[in-house]
Amino acid sequence: MDENSRCGIEVAGGKGKIFITGEVTSKAELNVEAIARRVLRDIGYPDSYEIIDNIGRQSSDIALGTNDEVKGAGDQGMMFGYGCNDTPELLPLAMVILQKLARRYDELVHSDPDFYPDGKAQITGVYDDDFNLVKIRDFTISYNNSEKCRERTDAVLIDYVTSLCAGYGIEIERFLINPTGRFLIGGFEGDAGLTGRKIVVDSYQSFANVGGGCMNGKDPTKVDLSGAYMARKFACELIRKHDLKWCEVQLSYAIGMRRPLAIYIDSDKGNLEPEDQMYVRGEPASIIEELDMKHINYEEQARFGHFH
């Protein structure tokens, strides 16, 4: 294990093949194929796919801006962090409901042979003037399954979601379960998979702006990851400090530069002026230290959305 590894990894999968490319610079031994097959098994897919390892070393040009002397940002871009007072997690209620369903679905995949590891859900909510979720008009669930006992498997999901939402005082008017009628062919056989295709779900599920790039497959010198994590922490701190209903923080970076170029804060009480110390705390090296980002299990972090 090398906690100082530099990583920028992309994965594409489909039709019996998994293609892994990108850059890694590390002192650790890296068996890409073994890792890929273990992850496939953990998800619930067969590990018989052809694994194509196309990993190279990180560009020396990028390394110039992120080495121990410079400690600059590993990329340029704008990163957004968001929070709201809907829930104790300081996340939108609809987002929390969907994340809990995702975790329950993963449990079903590993405990019930009629559930397969491919699915997604969506809420069409009705909101009041203060943007509080008051009911769900449509709860859409598309899930890959054996199609042998749909009444039972549909009922398992409907019963769980109905009970979950009732705990929040939310009524569901209608369920849309596999609206095409059938979802037998799924996973890499039904569609291609690609790193970063679901960056909205990885972050705030359309409740906030999405900036930068995908957070997955990157080490924390990449501000797509570390900047997004710190922007979220800033947003939560400001909610508590100023008694806000919601807050969105934008951090802007230039590759190789330590300090954020700009910090923009919006909230239900209008724009807020960033404190000077936020610029220091927003430096990649400071973020990595404050959030202990060299010791986070990013595989677990990314499983149901990075913020939960």
Side-chain angles (χ1 to χ4, degrees), residues 47-61:
D47 65 358
S48 56
Y49 290 91
E50 177 186 356
I51 308 296
I52 302 168
D53 178 357
N54 190 51
I55 294 290
R57 292 182 64 83
Q58 183 190 51
S59 164
S60 58
D61 293 342

Side-chain angles (χ1 to χ4, degrees), residues 80-81 231 234-235 238-239 242 244 246-251 262-275 278-279:
F80 291 89
F234 284 155
L238 291 166
I239 286 172
H242 298 288
L244 304 174
W246 63 268
C247 182
E248 182 180 78
V249 176
Q250 176 188 321
L251 304 180
I263 299 176
Y264 178 76
I265 304 169
D266 196 12
S267 76
D268 63 295
K269 294 183 179 178
N271 298 140
L272 302 177
E273 191 70 24
E275 300 172 4
M278 293 174 70
Y279 282 89

Side-chain angles (χ1 to χ4, degrees), residues 73-275:
D75 205 349
Q76 68 186 51
M78 285 77 71
M79 319 309 160
F80 291 89
Y82 179 78
C84 64
N85 66 1
D86 285 11
T87 61
E89 299 92 341
L90 295 185
L91 289 169
L93 177 55
M95 178 176 170
V96 171
I97 289 170
L98 290 168
Q99 286 181 334
K100 289 184 176 181
L101 171 58
R103 291 182 183 277
R104 176 57 183 152
Y105 187 81
D106 185 61
E107 293 172 357
L108 289 168
V109 166
H110 290 86
S111 62
D112 188 324
D114 289 318
F115 287 90
Y116 296 168
D118 187 2
K120 56 186 177 182
Q122 176 177 297
I123 286 173
T124 304
V126 177
Y127 290 81
D128 64 19
D129 291 339
D130 291 325
F131 207 62
N132 297 305
L133 180 65
V134 295
K135 67 178 177 179
I136 294 172
R137 194 188 71 189
D138 297 303
F139 204 118
T140 305
I141 302 174
S142 298
Y143 75 105
N144 189 198
N145 65 92
S146 69
E147 295 291 346
K148 293 178 181 177
C149 46
R150 274 290 302 280
E151 285 190 15
R152 182 186 72 84
T153 55
D154 284 4
V156 168
L157 295 175
I158 290 172
D159 290 347
Y160 174 78
V161 171
T162 300
S163 176
L164 173 63
C165 292
Y168 291 107
I170 300 296
E171 176 188 352
I172 303 167
E173 290 187 352
R174 180 173 65 161
F175 279 95
L176 297 173
I177 310 293
N178 285 353
T180 66
R182 179 182 170 93
F183 193 172
L184 176 61
I185 300 172
F188 290 130
E189 299 308 314
D191 199 358
L194 182 66
T195 299
R197 181 173 286 178
K198 300 295 184 182
I199 59 174
V200 173
V201 177
D202 282 337
S203 52
Y204 302 102
Q205 302 191 13
S206 82
F207 286 93
N209 286 306
V210 176
C214 177
M215 289 177 279
N216 297 327
K218 296 172 180 174
D219 72 88
T221 66
K222 308 290 192 298
V223 285
D224 293 332
L225 176 64
S226 52
Y229 273 42
M230 198 65 196
R232 159 77 174 158
K233 184 173 184 180
F234 284 155
C236 292
E237 289 176 349
L238 291 166
I239 286 172
R240 297 184 180 103
K241 181 176 180 179
H242 298 288
D243 192 26
L244 304 174
K245 177 170 177 55
W246 63 268
C247 182
E248 182 180 78
V249 176
Q250 176 188 321
L251 304 180
S252 302
Y253 291 93
I255 189 168
M257 302 289 289
R258 285 194 187 192
R259 191 110 351 146
L261 301 180
I263 299 176
Y264 178 76
I265 304 169
D266 196 12
S267 76
D268 63 295
K269 294 183 179 178
N271 298 140
L272 302 177
E273 191 70 24
E275 300 172 4

